[in-house]
Amino acid sequence: MDILSHFVNQVNDLLWNQLLIYLLCGVGIYYTIALGFVQVRYFKASITSLFGNISLFGKRADKRGMSSFQAVTTAIAGQVGTGNLAGPSTAILAGGPGAIFWMWVSSFLGMATIYAEAILAQKYRTQDKEGQVVGGPAYYIEQGLHCKWLAVLFALLIILALGFIGNMVQSNSIASAFYGSLSIPLWVSGLIVAALTAFVIIGGIGSIASFTEKIVPIKAVLYFAGTFVILVYNYEWIIPAFKIIFVAAFNPQAVLGGGIGIAIQEAMRFGIARGLFSNEAGMGSTPHAHALAKVENEEQQGLIAMMGVFVVAVIVTITALAIITSGLSMWDAGGQQAASFMSVYQGLQGIELTQMAYSWVFGRFGSIFISFALLCFAFTTIIGWYYYGEMNIRYLFNNKKAVRIYQCIVVIFIFCASLIKVDVVWNMADMFNGLMVLPNLTALILLSPVVIRLTRAIKKRSPVDKEAKR
């Protein structure tokens, strides 16, 4: 086990701390420039596309696809998980408050990348032998690049990364959180999550889309409301928190003191890495949902896909502000004895920082609130990631029997994961997540002329430009 753990850690260091940061940012910069800063020019149109289609009770999805709003909520279900609660705290611990600025940068670039992913998913979507609309990176890799082996490799990696290992991590996070806050036995939480998952996924795309269109907006509103209370309580520290984020992004020692030892490179590395992991732009996961959207042209889904990354960035921001303002408030309440407010985070890890921020305002209820937030975030992620895996099961086997077998395995894994320690599983999830990015980025780079051509062609006949100029 030690040998496996060492190997996985080495691969993750190469992927996430070196290779993928440059590749994902590079692709984001390329598409930002090539598409004329699409995330800026069409930001208003993107918001209109999202909020103009909100419906908690839309038409049930079928074999022909789902509504544009259902597609983006299914995508956000996969994007907004434990990483959005633990991601900011992890970035702050490792790279200081300045890491949040670089998370914003990765989100800005990711909006252009995910726009391209959604367009390609729409362009190369097709139907399986049962008449079900299907799409995603495996399909645009095979049809666009005519590279079957690379498409198969991607399909296998995402099934492992998200459908199996990733969902084990989410299930374990839920069980651990409720054991810590309410002393609920791990197996009870695991059984409940497994049963709920089976209930949702057994109904297919119709059940999944109906679930995500309701729960995603509700969980976002509830989390925003809880965090808003914290920010109101810590209102006097909001402006200092923003100042700390910007100053620490370029001069960490001016904020943290020389003893902390965080450099600009560390703030950039951890901020960008956690940002990319949180919004999933370029990873090849969300195109599976966007491929099924019923839209008039590819650009429409590209615009609404950008809002998925923006929503994630907002959640990351309010979580970070809750953590930093609470930290400043506790530091001030302690008489400012320590050299840096970062001292209040000493001994805490990951999600514990988020729980600290809520507990400072809400007391013990804060920890319980985060547990329930984690349940909502992680469970919707399980549903989203399950579906991404199903799309690739359909790609590889193209029959309903394989989907049923996959469903059974996922439910069993979800239950078993609640009972085990998953340190190595967490790292393996990161590794397979990183590996699946490589085939997708290859396609994004080589198929960029298709994205640019479609965007320019659609722009000539689309009202989007007119709306953007108003």
Side-chain angles (χ1 to χ4, degrees):
M1 185 62 72
D2 289 339
I3 296 176
L4 175 62
S5 179
H6 178 73
F7 172 76
V8 170
N9 289 334
Q10 290 291 102
V11 173
N12 281 339
D13 181 64
L14 174 64
L15 287 172
W16 288 106
N17 293 334
Q18 300 176 53
L19 185 62
L20 291 180
I21 289 179
Y22 298 107
L23 286 177
L24 285 166
C25 285
V27 170
I29 291 170
Y30 170 72
Y31 271 113
T32 296
I33 296 172
L35 299 175
F37 286 82
V38 65
Q39 64 270 64
V40 176
R41 289 194 299 133
Y42 294 154
F43 184 74
K44 179 182 177 182
S46 183
I47 292 179
T48 302
S49 298
L50 175 63
F51 291 100
N53 291 293
I54 289 180
S55 174
L56 299 184
F57 301 94
K59 184 177 180 181
R60 187 174 177 84
D62 52 29
K63 289 184 177 182
R64 295 176 298 170
M66 62 180 75
S67 71
S68 184
F69 181 71
Q70 288 171 337
V72 77
T73 54
T74 301
I76 293 175
Q79 289 170 293
V80 181
T82 56
N84 300 99
L85 294 179
S89 55
T90 303
I92 290 170
L93 284 173
I100 302 304
F101 173 83
W102 298 110
M103 290 184 79
W104 294 338
V105 171
S106 69
S107 295
F108 177 78
L109 298 176
M111 290 174 73
T113 303
I114 211 164
Y115 171 88
E117 287 183 294
I119 281 187
L120 290 175
Q122 280 281 319
K123 169 66 176 176
Y124 293 103
R125 71 178 190 166
T126 184
Q127 291 182 326
D128 62 17
K129 68 179 184 180
E130 296 175 356
Q132 170 72 57
V133 173
V134 290
Y139 294 90
Y140 58 68
I141 290 172
E142 179 179 352
Q143 298 177 34
L145 298 183
H146 306 290
C147 189
K148 177 75 173 180
W149 71 267
L150 190 62
V152 170
L153 176 62
F154 174 85
L156 291 172
L157 287 171
I158 195 170
I159 291 169
L160 289 171
L162 303 186
F164 294 148
I165 300 175
N167 278 339
M168 289 179 68
V169 168
Q170 300 294 330
S171 173
N172 185 267
S173 298
I174 294 172
S176 298
F178 277 96
Y179 180 77
S181 62
L182 296 174
S183 300
I184 295 176
L186 297 175
W187 71 269
V188 173
S189 296
L191 186 62
I192 293 173
V193 173
L196 289 173
T197 300
F199 177 77
V200 174
I201 67 177
I202 202 72
I205 183 58
S207 177
I208 292 171
S210 295
F211 172 78
T212 60
E213 75 174 346
K214 296 174 182 63
I215 196 65
V216 168
I218 291 173
K219 77 173 183 180
V221 169
L222 291 177
Y223 185 69
F224 286 158
T227 309
F228 178 75
V229 173
I230 290 181
L231 295 181
V232 169
Y233 184 86
N234 295 329
Y235 74 94
E236 63 183 303
W237 298 106
I238 293 177
I239 293 178
F242 273 110
K243 181 180 178 181
I244 283 173
I245 289 172
F246 282 103
V247 172
F250 301 98
N251 187 10
Q253 305 314 317
V255 171
L256 307 177
I260 300 298
I262 294 175
I264 297 176
Q265 291 85 346
E266 289 175 286
M268 289 180 65
R269 179 163 63 93
F270 287 106
I272 291 174
R274 297 315 304 178
L276 294 171
F277 191 78
S278 294
N279 62 50
E280 297 188 21
M283 292 180 64
S285 53
T286 59
H288 299 93
H290 295 302
L292 272 65
K294 299 174 182 177
V295 291
E296 293 181 6
N297 57 60
E298 295 91 345
E299 186 187 52
Q300 288 181 337
Q301 197 58 30
L303 292 177
I304 201 167
M306 290 196 301
M307 274 298 99
V309 174
F310 181 74
V311 169
V312 171
V314 172
I315 292 174
V316 164
T317 300
I318 63 173
T319 302
L321 287 176
I323 292 170
I324 296 173
T325 57
S326 291
L328 287 169
S329 181
M330 282 186 281
W331 177 60
D332 183 65
Q336 302 187 18
Q337 298 298 315
S340 168
F341 84 97
M342 286 285 286
S343 62
V344 301
Y345 303 143
Q346 189 172 1
L348 299 177
Q349 295 181 354
I351 195 70
E352 293 174 344
L353 260 73
T354 310
Q355 290 176 319
M356 174 209 71
Y358 277 79
S359 297
W360 175 247
V361 177
F362 295 116
R364 184 172 181 269
F365 175 74
S367 178
I368 297 174
F369 180 89
I370 289 298
S371 295
F372 278 97
L374 189 65
L375 170 63
C376 291
F377 280 43
F379 183 67
T380 54
T381 297
I382 287 174
I383 300 303
W385 283 2
Y386 156 80
Y387 183 65
Y388 301 157
E390 178 188 313
M391 292 288 278
N392 287 277
I393 289 290
R394 289 181 178 275
Y395 172 77
L396 291 175
F397 302 103
N398 200 16
N399 67 73
K400 196 170 184 177
K401 183 178 179 181
V403 172
R404 291 302 185 197
I405 294 173
Y406 168 68
Q407 289 175 338
C408 293
I409 296 174
V410 168
V411 171
I412 292 171
F413 275 30
I414 286 172
F415 172 72
C416 292
S418 65
L419 305 175
I420 62 176
K421 299 189 70 172
V422 291
D423 292 345
V424 175
V425 179
W426 266 100
N427 292 332
M428 287 181 67
D430 283 349
M431 182 180 73
F432 283 112
N433 270 320
L435 291 173
M436 81 182 195
V437 174
L438 299 177
N440 186 55
L441 286 183
T442 301
L444 286 176
I445 294 169
L446 297 180
L447 294 176
S448 60
V450 176
V451 176
I452 296 170
R453 184 176 68 251
L454 285 172
T455 300
R456 290 174 178 172
I458 297 169
K459 191 165 56 177
K460 294 178 181 179
R461 56 179 169 80
S462 172
V464 171
D465 262 346
K466 295 179 182 178
E467 184 177 345
K469 291 177 181 177
R470 290 177 184 172

